[in-house]
Amino acid sequence: MKTKIHKFEQNGTYILLDVNSGAVHVIDRMIYDLMDTFDGANDEETVSRWGGIYGADEVREAVGELHELMELGELFAPDIDVPPTFQQTGLVKSLCLMVAQDCNLRCKYCFGDGGSYGGERAVMSEEVGRAAVDYIISHCGPRKHCEIDFFGGEPLLNLSTVKAVTEYVRQREQETGKIFKLTLTTNGMLLNEKNIRWLNDNHISLVLSLDGRREVHDRMRPDAGGHGTYDRVLKNFRALVESRGGQDYYLRGTYTKENMDFTKDVLDIHAQGFDILSVEPVVLKDSPLGFTEEDLPRIYEEYDRLTEAYLERHRAGKGFFFFHFNMDLSNGPCVAKRLAGCGAGHEYYAVAENGDLYPCHQFVGREKYKLGDVFTGVRNRELPQYFRESHVLNKELCSDCWARFFCSGGCHANADLFHGDIRKPYEVGCAIQKKRLECAILVQAVMALERMGDDKNEAVSS
Amino acid sequence: MKHIKTVNKPTMQASLKKGGCGECQASCQSACKTSCTVGNQVCESKK
Ligand code: SF4
Ligand code: SF4
């Protein structure tokens, strides 16, 4: 039988997640224990196992409550199979343009070899960029919303192509009725008043890279000459965020083995005036900066600390938006989306500087994953289908994982990096993902209880 | 209920029949990108 429930304790609160319905229940210690035994049809066994500790009448009452949940479809909900809404083949809705396979920084953990992706440093021509726009329009079917992400390397090294593509996108929107969301990921070095104005006027969302405290950032993100970049990028990010009224940006950082106390980095970023942020574990194989199983207890501890700090600030009216704690427990994505996951290789492709298509930006340069190019389209028919079918229900480890409908099967690129197989998730990544999800569910549960006008300790008396 | 407080009204089972419009944002969970996991998203058609 597939895992149907997940129970956990996070920051002193007990939580029961019903995996197949997505229902989240805040429970007391007794229910937490009972769920070791209760399977929906063994009331007497449960009473005799736990009656001695909690009292038979109490246990009966609690079992009664569990049956109420079952009747509502919020406990032991039926297994989810691939629904008909999950189309056999994907429609392309999103492209990542490697507008500059070149970079002005030398980040210690860069997977793209200083932006070059193992090849020559090069930039994308306007012609390739426009062909990519046409490609997405002719392959997105009836879908109205499309996305293009300007990526690199550092995309601002090739602003002329970014501008040409943007102009062409706006023209094609008029002609086709499609709506494009444009995003640009930048290290901030080249931002200036002029290009900030252009980015704002053209409604380009920005993803900004900052690793937290000055010493952490400077150590990990030096420029080509080996000098720290913190002061320079911070100044630019501030100017940028202010110029767009604190909207339409998202600041992200990477933590490594050298800053496992990353709560300090999160809080430092917030203290510098940024409200929309996240930090992420680095993924590196055989590197002193990367993580192994042994690091997990320390990382878990840090997420507990971050959760505490996050809630504290929220309660004091000084909250911020931490991407991974953001979760809409009631209006989350549909099952089809939860299966499609990141969409790499079937709904999402990366376009290399020369126009070659890959399943996603991380696969660029991994030759066996080359799918075709923007001029002649995807010539490899099998791989996109394989990616499409590599969803959570088809991965051995995922199909029985409690996090399957939140995580959607992890990152294919990482699975390929560690196991040479996109269907074998990278285990350390899974462990961190699951911890992060527990924290997010707790945060959302606590906030929901607050909205319900409850004190959680009162409501769930143990 | 005395021992249990349900904090959400989940729609996952219902979405087995109705979902799949695909209008929602792509969700790469890798560190270098938007680091957006599916679970962190909302349904675009319900916004
Ligand atoms: S990738 Fe890992 S955490 Fe995600 S669903 Fe699969 S097994 Fe679970
Ligand atoms: S395979 Fe990994 S890096 Fe690529 S789009 Fe998916 S989550 Fe992101």
Side-chain angles (χ1 to χ4, degrees):
Chain A
M1 199 176 73
K2 285 186 182 163
T3 309
K4 283 186 176 287
I5 60 154
H6 177 61
K7 63 184 180 114
F8 58 97
E9 187 203 342
Q10 182 63 50
N11 296 69
T13 298
Y14 294 101
I15 289 185
L16 174 64
L17 166 74
D18 185 49
V19 173
N20 290 319
S21 68
V24 174
H25 312 289
V26 173
I27 55 175
D28 62 10
R29 175 68 207 229
M30 174 171 43
I31 298 276
Y32 184 83
D33 285 338
L34 259 46
M35 292 312 291
D36 281 338
T37 311
F38 185 67
D39 66 8
N42 59 347
D43 299 13
E44 282 319 306
E45 187 191 341
T46 309
V47 174
S48 67
R49 167 70 184 81
W50 295 101
I53 295 169
Y54 291 108
D57 288 346
E58 278 289 307
V59 175
R60 263 201 193 91
E61 184 186 56
V63 166
E65 291 187 9
L66 291 170
H67 278 287
E68 276 181 53
L69 296 186
M70 287 168 64
E71 272 154 41
L72 289 168
E74 294 175 356
L75 180 63
F76 301 128
D79 277 341
I80 284 179
D81 209 349
V82 181
T85 50
F86 184 71
Q87 311 289 341
Q88 268 214 314
T89 37
L91 290 169
V92 184
K93 65 175 186 183
S94 178
L95 288 183
C96 176
L97 305 194
M98 320 300 278
V99 285
Q101 280 178 224
D102 191 0
C103 195
N104 44 4
L105 295 195
R106 293 293 178 270
C107 302
K108 299 262 164 59
Y109 42 64
C110 184
F111 70 90
D113 277 336
S116 68
Y117 291 81
E120 295 280 307
R121 296 181 183 276
V123 295
M124 180 178 282
S125 68
E126 296 178 10
E127 188 200 3
V128 167
R130 280 191 283 263
V133 176
D134 288 333
Y135 180 81
I136 191 168
I137 288 173
S138 53
H139 290 83
C140 67
R143 201 167 267 167
K144 208 172 167 62
H145 294 93
C146 301
E147 289 161 43
I148 286 186
D149 186 16
F150 298 111
F151 202 69
E154 170 51 44
L156 293 183
L157 284 170
N158 187 10
L159 190 59
S160 56
T161 293
V162 173
K163 284 184 171 171
V165 171
T166 304
E167 209 172 283
Y168 190 56
V169 161
R170 299 306 177 214
Q171 175 200 326
R172 299 291 283 144
E173 280 180 331
Q174 297 292 319
E175 291 162 8
T176 59
K178 303 276 179 201
I179 301 169
F180 275 79
K181 179 173 166 46
L182 303 180
T183 307
L184 184 142
T185 303
T186 178
N187 61 31
M189 291 292 282
L190 295 173
L191 286 170
N192 58 36
E193 218 185 299
K194 194 161 160 236
N195 59 29
I196 287 177
R197 197 172 327 116
W198 184 85
L199 291 162
N200 292 349
D201 291 347
N202 286 277
H203 308 288
I204 310 236
S205 299
L206 289 166
V207 179
L208 315 171
S209 302
L210 187 80
D211 277 358
R213 291 163 289 179
R214 173 187 275 109
E215 62 271 23
V216 173
H217 182 96
D218 278 344
R219 201 165 351 123
M220 286 302 142
R221 303 183 64 81
D223 63 17
H227 306 291
T229 55
Y230 183 82
D231 291 324
R232 285 176 278 173
V233 303
L234 186 69
K235 184 173 114 293
N236 291 347
F237 288 161
R238 280 205 176 124
L240 170 100
V241 169
E242 201 178 310
S243 75
R244 46 176 65 197
Q247 299 296 314
D248 262 338
Y249 79 95
Y250 156 50
L251 200 138
R252 51 151 313 279
T254 303
Y255 66 84
T256 71
K257 200 152 174 156
E258 290 189 13
N259 61 318
M260 292 220 254
D261 55 348
F262 56 83
T263 299
K264 292 195 181 124
D265 295 293
V266 171
L267 298 181
D268 196 78
I269 293 172
H270 183 223
Q272 299 300 336
F274 303 101
D275 288 336
I276 312 171
L277 53 115
S278 87
V279 300
E280 284 268 336
V282 76
V283 176
L284 288 171
K285 199 179 174 184
D286 306 324
S287 156
L289 295 176
F291 297 113
T292 60
E293 300 267 324
E294 280 110 72
D295 299 317
L296 291 174
R298 177 67 189 84
I299 294 175
Y300 293 164
E301 199 190 302
E302 199 56 30
Y303 276 107
D304 292 343
R305 191 168 295 133
L306 177 60
T307 304
E308 194 59 53
Y310 181 88
L311 285 171
E312 236 169 57
R313 278 172 177 65
H314 162 76
R315 289 195 184 109
K318 294 187 191 126
F320 56 93
F321 185 96
F322 184 73
F323 217 85
H324 293 135
F325 291 172
N326 181 39
M327 191 178 265
D328 188 331
L329 295 174
S330 297
N331 297 304
C334 61
V335 171
K337 169 70 178 178
R338 291 177 197 263
L339 292 187
C342 68
H346 55 103
E347 291 184 346
Y348 167 64
Y349 297 125
V351 184
E353 138 283 316
N354 61 0
D356 284 348
L357 288 165
Y358 289 90
C360 86
H361 56 293
Q362 289 222 47
F363 285 98
V364 171
R366 298 187 198 177
E367 274 316 296
K368 69 171 178 173
Y369 286 101
K370 191 169 130 180
L371 303 173
D373 61 66
V374 281
F375 300 105
T376 57
V378 169
R379 291 187 302 275
N380 185 325
R381 296 267 155 234
E382 293 85 50
L383 260 184
Q385 206 49 41
Y386 187 70
F387 272 85
R388 180 81 181 162
E389 283 159 21
S390 295
H391 54 66
V392 266
L393 299 176
N394 278 340
K395 294 186 193 178
E396 205 186 327
L397 206 62
C398 302
S399 66
D400 195 36
C401 171
W402 69 262
R404 58 190 179 268
F405 297 121
F406 290 99
C407 160
S408 292
C411 167
H412 298 310
N414 292 346
D416 178 59
L417 176 70
F418 280 84
H419 301 301
D421 182 350
I422 64 168
R423 293 197 180 176
K424 286 203 184 117
Y426 154 58
E427 298 84 352
V428 173
C430 292
I432 300 176
Q433 171 72 281
K434 286 189 270 192
K435 179 64 184 179
R436 226 158 58 182
L437 286 169
E438 289 181 347
C439 295
I441 292 171
L442 179 270
V443 162
Q444 295 305 328
V446 167
M447 290 185 178
L449 286 179
E450 280 169 7
R451 281 196 298 274
M452 286 151 81
D454 255 323
D455 182 316
K456 71 179 194 306
N457 301 318
E458 223 173 83
V460 185
S461 47
S462 39
Chain B
M1 283 193 244
K2 191 168 135 201
H3 304 278
I4 304 170
K5 284 255 175 258
T6 304
V7 299
N8 62 341
K9 270 277 145 248
T11 45
M12 214 154 80
Q13 290 277 342
S15 80
L16 280 167
K17 296 196 189 72
K18 289 204 307 267
C21 74
E23 297 292 356
C24 45
Q25 214 182 319
S27 37
C28 165
Q29 51 177 257
S30 98
C32 54
K33 251 332 197 23
T34 46
S35 74
C36 170
T37 303
V38 171
N40 302 122
Q41 284 187 280
V42 291
C43 170
E44 204 56 39
S45 73
K46 284 191 221 128
K47 257 195 195 164

